[in-house]
């Protein structure tokens, strides 16, 4: 659980500070934090409903709609994790540049 919290902090605080222009940094932190919380809610409730038995009789006995089963739900979660891993390669690397250099805020003619 401690490792999971570190990953959430990385995505919420460090990545927005490095990839967004300085003038948008606070907004990007808010959007990242809100997105993480919405994703956690969707993941928690989504897994609950997806993990239900595909058999309508068994699912109805617990008061839920039929789902895709625990095994398929775990495969779905693994796919989402793999997609998230692959998307991290789209985040630009700062390579020691300052935020102003990366966003080209100091260049002449930039608004």
């Amino acid at each position: 659980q401690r490792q999971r919290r570190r990953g959430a902090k990385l995505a919420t605080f460090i990545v927005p500070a490095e990839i967004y222009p300085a003038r948008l940094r606070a907004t990007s932190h808010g959007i990242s934090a809100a997105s993480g919380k919405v994703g956690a809610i969707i993941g928690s409730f989504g897994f609950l409903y997806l993990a239900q038995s595909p058999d309508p009789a068994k699912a109805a006995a617990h008061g839920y709609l039929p789902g895709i089963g625990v095994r398929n739900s775990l495969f779905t979660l693994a796919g989402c994790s793999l997609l998230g891993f692959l998307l991290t390669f789209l985040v630009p690397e700062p390579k020691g540049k300052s935020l102003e250099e990366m966003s080209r805020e100091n260049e002449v003619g930039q608004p």
Side-chain angles (χ1 to χ4, degrees):
Q1 186 167 357
R2 176 175 245 162
Q3 185 66 28
R4 183 173 52 197
R5 278 188 252 147
R6 280 190 203 138
K9 289 178 185 177
L10 175 73
T12 304
F13 298 111
I14 296 173
V15 173
E18 288 187 353
I19 66 171
Y20 289 106
R23 63 176 183 227
L24 298 176
R25 193 178 313 157
T27 303
S28 68
H29 279 288
I31 291 170
S32 296
S35 299
K37 288 167 181 50
V38 169
I41 292 169
I42 291 171
S44 297
F45 285 106
F47 184 77
L48 172 70
Y49 286 104
L50 284 177
Q52 298 303 315
S53 174
D55 181 15
K58 288 182 181 178
H62 293 98
Y64 293 105
L65 295 173
I68 61 173
V70 174
R71 182 171 189 246
N72 290 333
S73 295
L74 291 174
F75 282 131
T76 302
L77 287 175
C80 289
S81 296
L82 181 62
L83 180 64
F85 172 73
L86 294 174
L87 288 176
T88 59
F89 291 108
L90 298 177
V91 176
E93 173 63 38
K95 297 179 186 168
K97 295 180 183 176
S98 71
L99 293 172
E100 289 78 15
E101 289 173 329
M102 285 185 59
S103 64
R104 293 178 288 213
E105 287 183 359
N106 294 336
E107 290 182 10
V108 179
Q110 286 292 94

